[in-house]
Amino acid sequence: MAVVDPSPPLEILVRGPDGFSLWGGPPFSNGQPRIKLETVPCTNAKFSDDGSRLMVMKSDSVISIYDCSSSEEIRSLEVPNIVAATLSPCGTFLQTFQKSSTPQEKNVTLWKTETGAPVYQQFQKNITKTTWPSIRFSSDEAVACRLATNEIQFFDAGDFSKGIVYRLRISGVAAIELSKAPGSHVAAFVPESKGIPASVQIYACRKDLQSQPVARRSFFRCSTVQLSWNHGSTGLLVVVQSDVDKTNQSYYGESKLNYLTTDGTHEGLVPLRKEGPVHDVQWSYSGSEFAVVYGFMPARATVFDKKCNPLLELGTGPYNTIRWNPKGKFLCLAGFGNLPGDMAFWDYTEKKQLGTTKAECSVTSEWSPDGCYFMTATTAPRLQVDNGIKIFHYNGSLHFKKMFDKLYQAEWKPESPDRFGEIAELVKSIGSLKIEETKPPGQGSKSSQASTKGASVNPPAQKPSAYRPPHAKTAAAIQSEVYPKSQSISGIFIVNRLYFLILWVWPVIWMTGHSCVEFFF
């Protein structure tokens, strides 16, 4: 009888001012997470893509590497003047960038995490979002390449001592994106220059197949692009952003979504059914579908197949974020940033909405690796108040909430979704767990809550009052302070008349010599 490999436990990395700690993930048996690793002082922490290694940057220019299976430190490196660091997808290599005073000083170093020895060094003037990490790896670390001036340089990922093994010349290339699984293709972006339109070109990573691009798409009015490969490396989504909207419909410019395939069957725009910007786009884990949030508010969300045919309409609303469950069954549609935090959870396979909720002021959001939980976090320095973590079930019901005075980071430990069972079985097993919920003070029994809710379901309808302008409301408030409610209207009228007689009428009578009776009659 075959032994079934059990699913790995979920883990959460939480980092605050004192450092990071590791929590055991949900479900929480007593309503609180189990602390797997107590707080370790640090300034930054980052998992490798496969979750096997954890890189921790400390304040004294020391970088520690942890083995995630045992939560123990396995390597420590001292790197002076460190600016940035990152792990390769499988945690085999550590890449660091240091401040450099001269071009002769090689400030980008690739270290072997097992030995702590440098395997490759080079000079780089500065780093940006498009140039870091300097050396890019495929998910299996079989392919490694680097963006340089007018070319892409390829390495032997198994032996960096060979240096650059071959080069792909692309004049004016400004950004690249290597396909992840597998690392068979690389996409290159060339911006506009001297009247020549911008373009995105796809090349094969094998040297003998690089004579011509396998796909190419040109763009007018293009300032920047966002490149997103699918799993399987067969399709590339390109969000083209322009700083100026010539239709004058948006102050933030305009954006278009393009789709290219490595077999050349599709090179063009994705047919979106509403005008406006492309807010977010994400591939499913299978790489067969992608979801897009687009259009002026209220935005629209649609799921497309690999041929750009719409499969499911998710409706409209205040949304700008889409998160696809790693198992491909559930979707979360949300509105974060400058939007109020509405979230809608969908079952893609059943084509129905499961529930809605809110997570105001969320900065980060992501599904758990098993696809059963959705975590949002409000973190500093983006927001200095109301920092905290919320974990929701796949249907939007709140499972856990914890507030912090200051929270810098909260993320799941990565795991391959293939290591978990079928999502239907996972959901069924979680639903069968009986978790004892702790009630906050003042919360009554369920029966009392039910009776309270039942009594307030249909409150008596109130008669609509007439509109009162703001200045009238202010005058009414002042009058209520001057004349308490205990005084009747007739009493207030008599007092006002007496004031009038004393201040105005009596002096006139005294000056003219008339009596009160003569004055009034």
Side-chain angles (χ1 to χ4, degrees), residues 2 8 21 44 60 126 133 167 192 200 204 303 308 349 386 434-435 451 468 473 476 515:
S21 60
N44 196 10
D60 51 357
N126 52 31
R167 307 167 192 264
E192 298 181 53
V200 168
V303 178
C308 292
T349 57
D386 296 332
K434 295 182 179 180
I435 300 175
S451 62
R468 300 182 67 189
K473 296 178 182 179
S515 64

Side-chain angles (χ1 to χ4, degrees), residues 245-517:
D245 183 6
K246 290 196 173 182
T247 62
N248 294 324
Q249 291 182 308
S250 174
Y251 175 79
Y252 301 100
E254 61 178 342
S255 56
K256 301 291 183 182
L257 181 61
N258 293 261
Y259 177 54
L260 292 81
T261 58
T262 54
D263 59 4
T265 57
H266 196 287
E267 296 176 10
L269 289 169
V270 176
L272 303 180
R273 301 182 179 182
K274 187 174 184 178
E275 292 186 357
V278 177
H279 302 288
D280 196 13
V281 58
Q282 190 179 32
W283 285 98
S284 67
Y285 180 74
S286 65
S288 301
E289 311 92 2
F290 61 91
V292 191
V293 184
Y294 59 95
F296 296 112
M297 291 295 163
R300 189 170 186 170
T302 308
V303 178
F304 295 88
D305 63 10
K306 289 196 297 184
K307 296 182 179 180
C308 292
N309 298 316
L311 298 176
L312 177 63
E313 292 290 344
L314 303 177
T316 61
Y319 304 124
N320 61 4
T321 303
I322 189 79
R323 293 288 183 267
W324 206 309
N325 167 286
K327 289 291 187 177
K329 180 176 176 61
F330 302 122
L331 278 164
C332 179
L333 191 60
F336 298 139
N338 60 347
L339 296 178
D342 294 88
M343 297 194 301
F345 290 84
W346 284 78
D347 187 329
Y348 171 67
T349 57
E350 298 293 334
K351 306 290 189 297
K352 65 179 181 180
Q353 189 179 102
L354 299 175
T356 60
T357 186
K358 266 194 175 185
E360 298 88 348
C361 305
S362 296
V363 176
T364 62
S365 59
E366 196 55 63
W367 284 96
S368 61
D370 66 350
C372 295
Y373 301 95
F374 189 78
M375 180 172 66
T376 65
T378 303
T379 58
R382 176 72 177 272
L383 290 173
Q384 300 292 343
V385 296
D386 296 332
N387 287 186
I389 296 173
K390 292 181 181 179
I391 300 177
F392 300 88
H393 289 285
Y394 64 91
N395 58 3
S397 60
L398 184 63
H399 175 71
F400 173 77
K401 177 180 178 180
K402 184 175 178 63
M403 304 303 293
F404 295 82
D405 293 333
K406 195 73 66 179
L407 178 66
Y408 294 129
Q409 184 180 358
E411 62 181 58
W412 300 100
K413 174 194 165 188
E415 292 283 358
S416 172
D418 297 331
R419 297 189 62 187
F420 298 90
E422 292 297 325
I423 186 67
E425 296 297 327
L426 291 172
V427 169
K428 185 178 179 180
S429 63
I430 291 174
S432 64
L433 293 176
K434 295 182 179 180
I435 300 175
E436 182 179 354
E437 298 182 356
T438 57
K439 299 177 182 179
Q443 184 175 351
S445 63
K446 292 184 178 180
S447 59
S448 63
Q449 291 177 13
S451 62
T452 305
K453 290 181 180 179
S456 60
V457 168
N458 296 316
Q462 296 182 356
K463 184 178 180 180
S465 59
Y467 170 75
R468 300 182 67 189
H471 67 273
K473 296 178 182 179
T474 307
I478 296 174
Q479 184 177 1
S480 64
E481 293 182 3
V482 175
Y483 305 116
K485 293 183 179 180
S486 58
Q487 296 182 2
S488 63
I489 299 299
S490 59
I492 295 173
F493 177 79
I494 295 172
V495 171
N496 286 339
R497 293 304 93 194
L498 289 176
Y499 279 132
F500 175 75
L501 290 173
I502 295 172
L503 295 178
W504 297 99
V505 177
W506 182 256
V508 173
I509 296 173
W510 180 79
M511 291 174 62
T512 57
H514 293 85
S515 64
C516 294
V517 177

